[in-house]
Amino acid sequence: MGTEFQKLPAGKIVPKLMALDLDDSLLKDDLLISDRAVEAIKKAAAQKIYIVICSGRAPAALLPFVRRLDVAGLEWGRYAVASNGSVVMDLHERREIYSVKVGGDALLRAKRAAADFGLPCQVYSSSTIYTEKENEYTLMDSKLTGLPVEYVKNFDEFLNNGFAKMMITGDPQILKGLRDKLAEELLGKAVVLISKPYFLEVLPANCGKGEALEFLCGRLGISIKDAMAFGDSMNDESMIVKCGLSVAMSNGLDKIKEEAAFVTRLTNDQDGIADFVEQFVLI
């Protein structure tokens, strides 16, 4: 980590809410949460800090990680943010308390633009990936998230229902060109970003993890300035910017590290979140 990103707190921090991105943040490179991280997070929950998984994954794909943290039975672990901020779930009541979608018109325009670039796309319900035909990236996403894939014949008509997220997958260099095209074409209708080099996401306008956390903090009577958010990539940017105690992973993008209040000393694969929480929250 370069010296320009050595941003650590001067002493103890007392957050009221802790938002945890999964991939490349809380998850190690083997896509698992370590015992050390579970212990640190459970101790934070014991101090009545709200623990909120905040991921791009669909709701059902979060549940194994919710169970792993073992705090959902507490008041302090009852909420989760899914689909990059398009959904907030109350795990105690097993329902969505906040949900926004990309309109069908924007999804169809995105699909047609993707087709012009020779790229497939897919959308999500809370528990299923939907796409038109089999492709390697959809199968990769299914393996990554544990969600089943359903192939839809009348996919254009299906998209008219609107969905929380569309993913367009393919070669990173091609995706960069498509991102620029769609960002201009869907301005005001959707947010377009690259979450992983081979995943381009189309999300509801004025929606992100940060906006979802603003909603949740308002519901809980917490100032977002007292919220801590851990993230690494562009789909974390809104919560990194909005949360007063934001923390970028040392393995994260330089832009995210520049925007965050703090940067972890260690990477995700070195338990960077657990190390930060132990050193600056639990002391």
Side-chain angles (χ1 to χ4, degrees):
M1 181 173 67
T3 55
E4 69 271 26
F5 294 126
Q6 291 179 357
K7 297 194 290 186
L8 296 171
K12 181 178 175 67
I13 305 174
V14 187
K16 294 184 179 179
L17 182 149
M18 190 181 297
L20 305 165
D21 172 53
L22 288 178
D23 294 287
D24 300 315
S25 294
L26 182 61
L27 302 188
K28 301 186 79 169
D29 289 349
D30 59 8
L31 302 182
L32 299 175
I33 303 173
S34 72
D35 291 344
R36 179 185 178 187
V38 171
E39 185 67 18
I41 290 164
K42 290 177 77 170
K43 286 181 178 178
Q47 294 186 5
K48 298 184 178 180
I49 298 170
Y50 283 96
I51 304 299
V52 183
I53 288 178
C54 206
S55 174
R57 297 179 184 227
L62 299 190
L63 297 181
F65 305 107
V66 168
R67 289 191 286 269
R68 171 69 172 136
L69 291 183
D70 194 28
V71 296
L74 306 173
E75 178 64 25
W76 318 108
R78 72 182 291 173
Y79 300 104
V81 173
S83 301
N84 279 329
S86 298
V87 175
V88 179
M89 297 182 293
D90 184 324
L91 300 169
H92 288 192
E93 297 183 3
R94 299 184 180 183
R95 68 183 181 93
E96 297 177 0
I97 57 174
Y98 171 92
S99 178
V100 289
K101 295 181 178 181
V102 184
D105 176 65
L107 292 176
L108 284 167
R109 290 167 71 177
K111 176 183 179 290
R112 289 163 187 157
D116 289 342
F117 280 73
L119 300 176
C121 61
Q122 60 207 44
V123 291
Y124 302 76
S125 70
S126 63
S127 59
T128 305
I129 302 170
Y130 299 97
T131 190
E132 201 164 21
K133 57 185 177 181
E134 183 176 304
N135 66 85
E136 62 174 311
Y137 290 104
T138 297
L139 297 177
M140 179 194 302
D141 192 27
S142 177
K143 183 177 181 180
L144 179 70
T145 62
L147 296 179
V149 180
E150 184 173 321
Y151 300 102
V152 181
K153 288 184 178 180
N154 298 318
F155 198 50
D156 283 14
E157 182 179 340
F158 185 69
L159 291 179
N160 278 320
N161 294 313
F163 288 88
K165 180 174 79 169
M166 171 180 277
M167 186 97 80
I168 300 170
T169 55
D171 179 87
Q173 293 304 315
I174 298 176
L175 286 180
K176 288 179 182 178
L178 178 58
R179 176 197 59 194
D180 295 341
K181 174 181 172 62
L182 281 179
E184 180 177 352
E185 187 173 336
L186 299 181
L187 184 65
K189 296 179 179 292
V191 172
V192 182
L193 57 84
I194 293 176
S195 56
K196 287 184 178 291
Y198 38 82
F199 287 163
L200 183 151
E201 304 194 17
V202 181
L203 303 165
N206 303 312
C207 173
K209 294 181 181 182
E211 287 79 3
L213 290 173
E214 282 183 320
F215 164 83
L216 184 56
C217 285
R219 183 183 178 94
L220 298 174
I222 294 172
S223 169
I224 199 163
K225 298 303 179 185
D226 294 322
M228 176 178 287
F230 290 91
D232 68 284
S233 192
M234 292 309 297
N235 61 330
D236 303 313
E237 184 180 25
S238 63
M239 70 174 181
I240 291 294
V241 170
K242 289 178 180 292
C243 291
L245 303 173
S246 58
V247 188
M249 302 302 298
S250 64
N251 54 281
L253 298 177
D254 284 355
K255 180 173 176 59
I256 298 302
K257 289 186 279 191
E258 289 166 359
E259 293 175 333
F262 310 111
V263 178
T264 62
R265 301 187 299 182
L266 303 178
T267 69
N268 67 303
D269 205 42
Q270 298 169 319
D271 267 329
I273 288 180
D275 174 74
F276 191 94
V277 173
E278 290 164 354
Q279 294 299 315
F280 303 110
V281 177
L282 300 178
I283 57 175

